[in-house]
Amino acid sequence: MEKIKILFVCLGNICRSPLAHAVFEHKVNERGLSDKFEIESCGTGSWHVGELPDPRMRKEAQKHGINMTHLGRTLQVMDLEYFDWILPMDRSNMGVLLTKALPEFKDKIKLFRHFDPESTDDFAEVPDPYYGGDEGFRLVYDIVDRTCDNLLDKLSK
Ligand code: 4NP
């Protein structure tokens, strides 16, 4: 069977999307589903290409037993064709994706928090923690953790 290919997208690809990438991968492995998914993340910006995730995000993930090893990569136009699910962390990055995607690929693009079981807002975002303190990184972790659980429940049915 063909793998389900998922791309998580944020701005810098050093905080939110590599966290979603690592957390989702961890849950997929825990459930023994690693042969069913291909998981990747990227940024719409290119400042952090080749870099490990932000140390503050890595530290928060590590508290939950998750090791973040992804190296920053920027969005390639081909990604919009290749991946089955393209999940931006906020509306601004969603806008970038929708601008670049051919009409036939736009349906694959959904806000990540569309799958947040606690969200009542159709346009909820994962807040950018980059310019804030540790609390922002904890909040991002909580949102990403529960959203990845629900996303995996939905896609593994
Ligand atoms: P991310 O956070 O999009 O969640 O990776 C950011 C990382 C870097 C920058 C902005 C947001 N930056 O401006 O360099």
Side-chain angles (χ1 to χ4, degrees):
M1 209 181 70
E2 268 221 49
K3 290 188 178 189
I4 300 175
K5 301 192 276 289
I6 304 179
L7 179 67
F8 299 102
V9 184
C10 63
L11 178 61
N13 194 216
I14 53 167
C15 300
R16 295 164 293 173
S17 65
L19 181 73
H21 180 165
V23 167
F24 192 79
E25 197 158 62
H26 186 80
K27 292 180 188 296
V28 161
N29 291 339
E30 268 183 348
R31 295 196 203 183
L33 296 172
S34 54
D35 56 336
K36 298 222 165 17
F37 291 95
E38 182 172 333
I39 307 158
E40 181 56 295
S41 63
C42 72
T44 55
S46 55
W47 311 281
H48 301 287
V49 169
E51 292 178 17
L52 274 171
D54 187 299
R56 298 166 294 175
M57 195 75 262
R58 276 158 52 205
K59 189 170 155 209
E60 184 58 34
Q62 204 69 64
K63 282 195 214 158
H64 302 270
I66 290 173
N67 203 11
M68 296 176 70
T69 56
H70 175 75
L71 299 179
R73 107 191 234 295
T74 193
L75 177 76
Q76 309 293 308
V77 174
M78 268 185 51
D79 292 335
L80 298 160
E81 179 175 352
Y82 182 75
F83 288 94
D84 302 310
W85 293 86
I86 301 171
L87 304 177
M89 298 290 135
D90 59 32
R91 296 191 288 265
S92 157
N93 287 296
M94 174 134 174
V96 172
L97 293 168
L98 287 172
T99 304
K100 291 183 187 266
L102 291 172
E104 61 265 40
F105 302 138
K106 289 189 199 289
D107 284 353
K108 307 181 194 185
I109 303 169
K110 287 199 168 27
L111 276 174
F112 176 71
R113 285 192 76 185
H114 174 76
F115 297 97
D116 181 350
E118 290 184 20
S119 171
T120 50
D121 173 357
D122 279 351
F123 301 103
E125 306 181 294
V126 182
D128 184 347
Y130 189 68
Y131 292 105
D134 288 348
E135 206 182 296
F137 287 87
R138 282 198 293 276
L139 174 66
V140 167
Y141 187 88
D142 289 346
I143 295 170
V144 164
D145 184 51
R146 65 177 186 249
T147 303
C148 282
D149 264 329
N150 194 40
L151 176 66
L152 186 51
D153 287 347
K154 293 242 148 59
L155 296 186
S156 58
K157 260 187 195 150

